[in-house]
Amino acid sequence: MFKTTLAGLLAHKLRLLLTSLAITLGVGFIAGTFVLTDTIDAGFAQKFTADAAKISVAVLPKGDDADRQQEPILTTGDLAKVRGVKGVADAQGIVQGTAPLIGKNGKVAGSRATSGISITEGALNRTVITKGSAPAAATEAVLDKDTAKTREFAIGDTITVLDSKQVKHQFTLVGVFDVGVNQELSFTGAVGFTADTALRMTGAKGFREIDVRGGDDVSPEDLRASVTAALGSGYTVKTGTQLADDLAAENNMDTSFIRMGLLLFGVIAMLVAALVIYNTFNILVAQRTREMALLRCIGATKKQIFGSILLESVVVGVLSSVLGLLIGLGLGAAALAVLGAVDAPIPTGVGVSLSPQTIVVGLVVGIIVTVAAALLPARAATRVAPIAALRSQVEESTFRAGVLRIVFGALFLLAGAAVTAKGAAGEPGQDALLTVMAGGCVFFLGVLVLAPLIVKPLSAFVGWLPARLFGVPGKLAVDNSRRNPKRAATTTVALTIGVTLMTLISVVTTTTRATVSEQLNKQFPVDYMIGTQQHDSSIPRTVAAELRSKPEFGAVVVVRETEARVNGKSVSVGAFTVDPEFKVTPVKGSMKDFGPGTAAVTSWTAKDLGVTIGDTVKAAGKDYRVVALLSDQSSPVYGVNLTEQDFDAAFPRVMDKQILIKVKDGVATDTSRRIVEAATEPYPSVLVESAAETRGAFDEALDMMTMIITGLLGLAVLISLLGIANTLSLSVHERTRESALLRALGLTRPQLRRMLSIEALVLGLIGALVGVALGVTFGWAATQTMVSDVIFRAPVLQILGFVALSGVAGVVAALLPARRAANASIVGSLASS
Amino acid sequence: MTMTTDVRQAVTARGLKKVYGQGDAAVHALRGIEVGFATGAFTAIMGPSGSGKSTLMHCLAGLDTVSAGEIHIGDVEITKLNDKQLTLLRRERIGFVFQAFNLLPTLTAEQNIRLPLEIAGRQADQVLFDRVIETVGLRERLGHRPTQLSGGQQQRVAVARALISKPQVIFADEPTGNLDSRSGAEVLSFLRRSVRELDQTIVMVTHDPVAASYADRVIFLRDGLLVTELYQPTAQTVLDTLMKLEA
């Protein structure tokens, strides 16, 4: 039996390869994910180790490492103590805070304040100066190379940096440095100073870390002990090696998120691959009915037949998994090259390799999925009766919908729909989203079960136009597409998975975009938003006052907020600008009654405080009557909202966090922009953003996300296209004589090719249509769980694009099988049985 | 096309040679055949296995290429046509009946019959269609698919399909090979009737002397050469001739 199986496999190398490809791609993606994240981890570890080699001991303030953004609590006194420890050759404090760089336009650079760091002198320096020199004097500074490039500063230029009190200081740029793998610095950009200047500029009260270099005769462990002894408790003291290990471990947590995210797509790809394999083996078994029957005739047992099919799947599984691992290695290397090319803050220079873990995971996943997918077809093969060997013609398989199938399918559909409806109708939130997702999965199972039933009507629907447009080849193609509904169903469902998810993602993002912008528009159509880089810094009140004096502006709404105790509980309290342009519709009560001495409270806060309309809330020693309950999703609205006057009386020191401006109709954009910019000019940390810019940035981020997710789902779609190609080429093989007959009757080669292309087109379109229907429906349900009043939008063009692409891709998948069918000799094909 | 082409010949072959393979492995299937098939006649091609009778038919019908010689169907020299022209020629001028697998399983009997016309984009001659259907006696079965028809019925559908486009010649390759003798007799008499009544030209390859006896003329092949022929054959005379050839 074993030999027969192997001989059979070897005789059909191409078929074997095509079948393997689906699994190969899936395993390749999973292996690639591991290769990528392993390599990044290894690179970070190497980098940290290299850094740590410079340090004998590091002193950190006690507390969670992740909270190091908090005030450093290592003082200059601590530094002096450490320097006094015997065996310490050098000790340097590391400062990191914010030091906003002023760009060439006179405004602070970037949306986040630039980090200000100390550049340590001497051997303990961990910063790599790539050009120029390290700052040696209080008037010198260095910039990270990305910031220097984007803000167009060159060595020798004078740069202006704000200190913690918003006062401008000028420095000579003496060098640029590489932030290396520091994610935080690479995100914010960084200015480097001497340690003293860094302390002064950032306003930091101490150091984040003290790095210690020991003398040649002291081991790091001994030094650690003596430093600990000198400082006492309240400090974490690590050796350089420990520090490196901890940093690497911390970093691995981050990469494990990337890994999980990517693996999710790998799992989807494997699911699709399993469907493709299942279908392929089913067809192979059907085509080899006579071969199986002959084997049974000459004495093979059912068990042997079953084993032979399983063995074949094992060979396919092993082969494709091994190929997949190699592809994974290539994918990982390619991804790293791309990341390196876009200057992502990840370490480079570590070679990619397959870890034993990756090899095991890849092989196990690939083989298990392949064999599991072949189980049902193998069982079907055992049902072949020996007598089938004697029948001259293989029967056309007819599909009859069993009652069991209909009942189970309907049950799945109903259960899925019910669960989804419950999730969509319930309170928005994560639970609701999970409910909808679960409902979606169950519903999809129902679709999977019932697919053979819906393929027929769908192919009639989808094929209506091609059948009329392309004459005889078109009609025959549409007939062919549904002659084996089960096969067609599995082939198309594989494509459906990818298209469903793609549609779902684009529906969700489009809806989110529409909802957010509609929310903004409905409440207060803002033209300009004035804000600051850091959320804690504030806009002087004079800015709003000045803007309000301008006749060009219809409304100027200030956002003023503070955390305060109301009725004994800590809630956010905000000032609410009463303006006819700024409409907020309360859930309960009326904003007409809102005025001095009253408050509008959001529903959630009202529940939290146990108050309702008519009750009073006590804030800063004064009572306010609640006149309206507001929706939790209104913005800019806080827990408890007072009039501007009341707020100012209660919290006189709180400055503006944001100013929202609505320009009067008819005022030219450049006029309004000039006025806004003039008003904010004296304050470099105050930034002006037009609504268009804000939305642009938001849209860009959403688009980016959609693109990445769609790209990753593309893999699943690619695999399902392999499935179409595979099914089609097997069908072509099955219909060799039929094709020859058609050719003899006068069908030209191009017509025969067209016939197969149309069949693929129809299959592709069916898969895409079901996917789009599911994607839109469940996308809708998913968006219902996000916020209560969603503006549902389906990106029609994008969805049509998916459908068109699926059709085209189907046609592409048919190219090779169609060529082979068209080029076959008529006489030879007629003779073959 | 040459001036000497006899217009009363539906199909002619001159110096027809067909070689498979090369060098030592070369198989000479046809070694120079000169033959003509008269319009409105029913001709059977016979010969022992390996005599080249199927190859001859495939070449005559333009399904296979020739190594040497020329073939005319009507006034067209098909040996000079490319694949596309040959396909169009088959569409317009040739009908086929094969031993098995004549019908598309997805189409009904009527759809199968009309298929060649549809491929050619021609309208069926309704009078001819009705006449053919009456002759074949399949009126009640037109809506059935091939799997719902008996072997004899399937072959009759195939013959009807060949007739419907009024081809210049119908090639039948062992049309009764898969049938029991009663169904076979039905199909054969139907073929002969279509020659008599519709003035159809039919060339049939067969190894069955009884089937050959329905023809007006039988030509005999041996080792790729035309060796003899019989006019107005009976099963007995055909059998006798075959016996002589085998000896």
Side-chain angles (χ1 to χ4, degrees):
Chain A
M1 255 346 258
F2 184 74
K3 276 187 193 156
T4 320
T5 308
L6 287 188
L9 275 171
L10 283 176
H12 300 102
K13 284 193 235 27
L14 190 75
R15 187 182 73 197
L16 181 68
L17 199 73
L18 212 61
T19 314
S20 307
L21 215 50
I23 292 291
T24 300
L25 287 179
V27 171
F29 187 81
I30 290 177
T33 302
F34 278 108
V35 168
L36 176 67
T37 48
D38 283 353
T39 311
I40 291 179
D41 280 353
F44 274 117
Q46 198 185 57
K47 174 82 183 139
F48 291 137
T49 313
D51 271 357
K54 296 175 183 164
I55 305 168
S56 308
V57 167
V59 182
L60 302 166
K62 199 137 208 170
D64 191 359
D65 279 1
D67 288 340
R68 276 188 302 166
Q69 276 99 323
Q70 309 254 290
E71 288 278 287
I73 44 165
L74 297 174
T75 60
T76 40
D78 294 333
L79 180 60
K81 261 193 236 169
V82 172
R83 280 185 176 151
V85 173
K86 188 171 172 287
V88 169
D90 188 12
Q92 296 287 341
I94 290 177
V95 182
Q96 187 174 331
T98 54
L101 172 73
I102 308 274
K104 291 209 159 158
N105 60 355
K107 289 286 182 184
V108 285
S111 58
R112 283 277 304 268
T114 323
S115 294
I117 60 166
S118 59
I119 305 286
T120 311
E121 289 162 64
L124 280 170
N125 180 22
R126 281 195 266 164
T127 322
V128 181
I129 304 280
T130 51
K131 230 161 81 186
S133 58
T139 55
E140 291 178 351
V142 289
L143 275 178
D144 75 276
K145 65 171 194 248
D146 288 337
T147 306
K149 200 173 140 200
T150 48
R151 301 296 160 194
E152 297 173 342
F153 287 115
I155 292 175
D157 287 357
T158 299
I159 59 169
T160 309
V161 182
L162 291 181
D163 70 9
S164 56
K165 296 186 182 66
Q166 312 288 318
V167 181
K168 290 180 188 173
H169 295 267
Q170 296 200 320
F171 297 90
T172 310
L173 188 64
V174 294
V176 291
F177 68 99
D178 190 352
V179 295
V181 298
N182 190 321
Q183 311 289 319
E184 191 189 340
L185 293 190
S186 113
F187 179 60
T188 59
V191 197
F193 310 100
T194 59
D196 293 343
T197 316
L199 273 177
R200 207 178 68 233
M201 289 298 294
T202 58
K205 292 181 184 68
F207 308 109
R208 254 189 174 200
E209 185 180 321
I210 293 174
D211 289 345
V212 184
R213 189 167 57 83
D216 294 337
D217 49 347
V218 193
S219 80
E221 277 75 25
D222 292 344
L223 196 61
R224 190 177 87 90
S226 41
V227 169
T228 313
L231 287 171
S233 66
Y235 302 89
T236 308
V237 186
K238 296 174 179 175
T239 62
T241 326
Q242 279 171 338
L243 181 71
D245 290 350
D246 290 353
L247 285 175
E250 196 182 308
N251 188 72
N252 285 1
M253 294 260 288
D254 296 341
T255 39
S256 79
F257 275 113
I258 305 175
R259 196 193 327 250
M260 291 316 289
L262 286 175
L263 282 182
L264 191 68
F265 292 97
V267 167
I268 295 171
M270 285 310 279
L271 185 70
V272 175
L275 275 173
V276 170
I277 293 286
Y278 164 77
N279 212 23
T280 308
F281 271 92
N282 248 342
I283 301 172
L284 290 180
V285 165
Q287 285 182 359
R288 284 188 289 172
T289 304
R290 286 176 76 182
E291 191 185 318
M292 305 284 167
L294 185 65
L295 285 170
R296 296 274 283 127
C297 276
I298 59 173
T301 62
K302 283 191 171 191
K303 219 169 156 185
Q304 281 173 314
I305 299 280
F306 185 77
S308 137
I309 303 279
L310 273 203
L311 179 64
E312 188 169 336
S313 72
V314 170
V315 173
V316 170
V318 171
L319 203 77
S320 43
S321 304
V322 170
L323 272 178
L325 287 176
L326 293 178
I327 288 194
L329 198 59
L331 274 180
L336 278 172
V338 169
L339 286 175
V342 299
D343 263 343
I346 53 158
T348 45
V350 178
V352 290
S353 63
L354 288 168
S355 70
Q357 181 207 3
T358 310
I359 295 175
V360 168
V361 169
L363 284 179
V364 166
V365 168
I367 294 169
I368 285 186
V369 168
T370 316
V371 174
L375 276 178
L376 280 178
R379 207 169 66 106
T382 61
R383 297 213 202 97
V384 173
I387 190 71
L390 307 174
R391 291 196 195 117
S392 61
Q393 212 166 334
V394 181
E395 270 175 66
E396 214 27 43
S397 70
T398 45
F399 173 77
R400 269 165 302 143
V403 179
L404 211 62
R405 179 183 288 270
I406 296 179
V407 168
F408 268 98
L411 275 182
F412 277 133
L413 286 190
L414 283 177
V419 172
T420 308
K422 187 175 170 292
E427 277 282 298
Q430 202 174 8
D431 289 347
L433 182 62
L434 287 176
T435 312
V436 165
M437 277 164 69
C441 291
V442 175
F443 193 89
F444 192 82
L445 273 181
V447 172
L448 196 64
V449 172
L450 290 181
L453 286 171
I454 53 177
V455 151
K456 260 193 164 174
L458 273 178
S459 80
F461 171 69
V462 170
W464 187 83
L465 195 64
R468 265 148 200 79
L469 228 53
F470 296 103
V472 179
K475 262 183 249 172
L476 291 173
V478 175
D479 279 344
N480 281 337
S481 72
R482 59 181 160 188
R483 68 200 270 184
N484 193 331
K486 244 174 134 174
R487 187 186 294 181
T490 326
T491 310
T492 51
V493 160
L495 179 63
T496 299
I497 294 178
V499 176
T500 302
L501 293 173
M502 281 187 176
T503 310
L504 191 129
I505 292 301
S506 69
V507 164
V508 168
T509 46
T510 315
T511 299
T512 309
R513 187 174 307 181
T515 305
V516 168
S517 83
E518 183 64 24
Q519 247 172 13
L520 292 175
N521 282 340
K522 204 165 66 183
Q523 283 158 1
F524 186 59
V526 180
D527 292 306
Y528 294 102
M529 258 169 50
I530 295 176
T532 53
Q533 276 182 327
Q534 292 126 303
H535 286 292
D536 52 2
S537 86
S538 305
I539 307 164
R541 291 200 177 174
T542 46
V543 177
E546 192 188 337
L547 289 169
R548 278 183 174 157
S549 70
K550 304 290 182 196
E552 285 85 355
F553 299 141
V556 176
V557 170
V558 298
V559 177
R560 218 166 273 170
E561 180 231 9
T562 186
E563 201 69 15
R565 294 198 84 76
V566 175
N567 289 8
K569 285 191 172 173
S570 175
V571 292
S572 76
V573 178
F576 186 90
T577 306
V578 182
D579 194 298
E581 299 258 13
F582 182 32
K583 290 186 273 294
V584 170
T585 320
V587 182
K588 225 169 133 190
S590 166
M591 287 308 278
K592 264 186 254 158
D593 306 331
F594 184 70
T598 65
V601 184
T602 59
S603 318
W604 195 85
T605 312
K607 216 157 109 193
D608 191 35
L609 297 175
V611 297
T612 182
I613 290 180
D615 292 349
T616 53
V617 287
K618 194 183 182 81
K622 214 176 150 220
D623 282 345
Y624 302 92
R625 190 164 50 85
V626 178
V627 293
L629 295 188
L630 305 175
S631 155
D632 294 315
Q633 276 118 29
S634 314
S635 92
V637 159
Y638 297 93
V640 174
N641 303 278
L642 307 175
T643 61
E644 269 185 50
Q645 300 93 298
D646 284 349
F647 185 90
D648 289 355
F651 312 101
R653 299 168 62 110
V654 175
M655 289 208 264
D656 291 341
K657 190 171 175 181
Q658 235 179 17
I659 301 173
L660 309 176
I661 302 169
K662 167 92 176 78
V663 179
K664 271 190 187 150
D665 290 341
V667 178
T669 316
D670 51 345
T671 316
S672 61
R673 173 114 213 175
R674 214 163 36 235
I675 296 169
V676 175
E677 283 186 343
T680 55
E681 225 253 291
Y683 314 100
S685 63
V686 175
L687 296 172
V688 177
E689 219 174 44
S690 74
E693 283 164 0
T694 314
R695 270 175 218 176
F698 178 67
D699 282 356
E700 228 168 75
L702 267 184
D703 284 343
M704 188 75 170
M705 195 186 78
T706 316
M707 249 174 58
I708 291 175
I709 295 181
T710 310
L712 290 171
L713 286 173
L715 178 75
V717 172
L718 183 69
I719 293 177
S720 61
L721 291 178
L722 279 177
I724 292 189
N726 218 354
T727 307
L728 216 59
S729 72
L730 288 166
S731 296
V732 162
H733 175 76
E734 209 166 64
R735 296 190 222 133
T736 308
R737 296 176 75 185
E738 209 174 304
S739 302
L741 176 68
L742 282 168
R743 291 270 293 125
L745 291 180
L747 207 66
T748 60
R749 278 194 173 133
Q751 278 179 316
L752 189 66
R753 270 202 297 270
R754 202 176 309 146
M755 183 180 94
L756 290 162
S757 302
I758 294 169
E759 185 177 346
L761 174 80
V762 169
L763 286 179
L765 287 181
I766 293 175
L769 278 187
V770 176
V772 163
L774 289 176
V776 170
T777 311
F778 287 93
W780 172 83
T783 52
Q784 292 304 308
T785 67
M786 293 200 235
V787 287
S788 55
D789 33 28
V790 173
I791 317 293
F792 178 73
R793 288 271 187 293
V796 178
L797 276 182
Q798 214 169 347
I799 289 175
L800 285 181
F802 290 152
V803 174
L805 269 181
S806 306
V808 171
V811 172
V812 171
L815 281 181
L816 273 180
R819 255 179 76 100
R820 218 171 42 190
N823 290 345
S825 122
I826 302 175
V827 175
S829 304
L830 278 173
S832 72
S833 59
Chain B
M1 185 183 342
T2 55
M3 296 303 291
T4 55
T5 302
D6 186 337
V7 285
R8 282 172 304 155
Q9 298 284 322
V11 184
T12 53
R14 289 210 186 110
L16 194 58
K17 288 185 185 171
K18 176 73 184 173
V19 184
Y20 292 108
Q22 280 179 337
D24 289 346
V27 176
H28 295 266
L30 300 176
R31 297 164 180 269
I33 296 221
E34 308 277 339
V35 71
F37 298 91
T39 304
F42 184 2
T43 313
I45 304 176
M46 292 205 79
S49 295
S51 60
K53 56 185 189 297
S54 282
T55 307
L56 174 61
M57 196 207 88
H58 289 150
C59 290
L60 292 175
L63 291 175
D64 210 345
T65 54
V66 302
S67 305
E70 51 187 60
I71 297 165
H72 284 85
I73 288 189
D75 51 359
V76 181
E77 186 182 345
I78 67 164
T79 31
K80 282 195 175 148
L81 301 181
N82 65 20
D83 179 75
K84 165 115 190 190
Q85 291 166 320
L86 266 179
T87 305
L88 296 182
L89 177 103
R90 281 201 301 273
R91 230 186 229 185
E92 301 288 334
R93 303 203 181 184
I94 302 176
F96 287 100
V97 181
F98 298 110
Q99 177 176 3
F101 207 84
N102 264 302
L103 308 177
L104 286 196
T106 50
L107 303 182
T108 62
E110 175 166 2
Q111 285 169 333
N112 263 296
I113 294 173
R114 289 184 187 271
L115 187 61
L117 291 173
E118 294 225 3
I119 291 177
R122 283 196 282 157
Q123 278 299 313
D125 176 345
Q126 196 55 43
V127 179
L128 178 69
F129 181 81
D130 287 335
R131 204 167 146 205
V132 167
I133 296 302
E134 282 317 318
T135 338
V136 205
L138 282 170
R139 181 72 63 189
E140 276 79 53
R141 300 272 166 183
L142 285 180
H144 288 50
R145 287 185 200 280
T147 43
Q148 298 163 305
L149 298 174
S150 72
Q153 285 167 339
Q154 288 186 26
Q155 284 308 73
R156 271 146 63 195
V157 171
V159 174
R161 181 193 59 205
L163 286 170
I164 201 74
S165 51
K166 287 187 280 183
Q168 212 154 13
V169 54
I170 292 176
F171 289 103
D173 189 1
E174 303 272 14
T176 58
N178 275 11
L179 301 181
D180 59 81
S181 56
R182 228 188 68 142
S183 310
E186 258 175 45
V187 171
L188 286 165
S189 17
F190 176 58
L191 282 175
R192 185 156 68 182
R193 252 206 338 274
S194 55
V195 172
R196 302 277 178 276
E197 294 172 14
L198 304 170
D199 203 24
Q200 188 63 60
T201 311
I202 297 179
V203 177
M204 172 176 77
V205 169
T206 182
H207 65 270
D208 176 9
V210 178
S213 69
Y214 282 80
D216 302 317
R217 169 191 175 213
V218 185
I219 62 170
F220 292 88
L221 260 63
R222 192 180 60 190
D223 298 331
L225 285 169
L226 187 74
V227 283
T228 180
E229 55 186 325
L230 277 176
Y231 284 90
Q232 306 309 325
T234 65
Q236 194 54 52
T237 54
V238 173
L239 195 57
D240 291 345
T241 316
L242 275 178
M243 298 294 270
K244 261 186 268 168
L245 284 180
E246 300 269 9

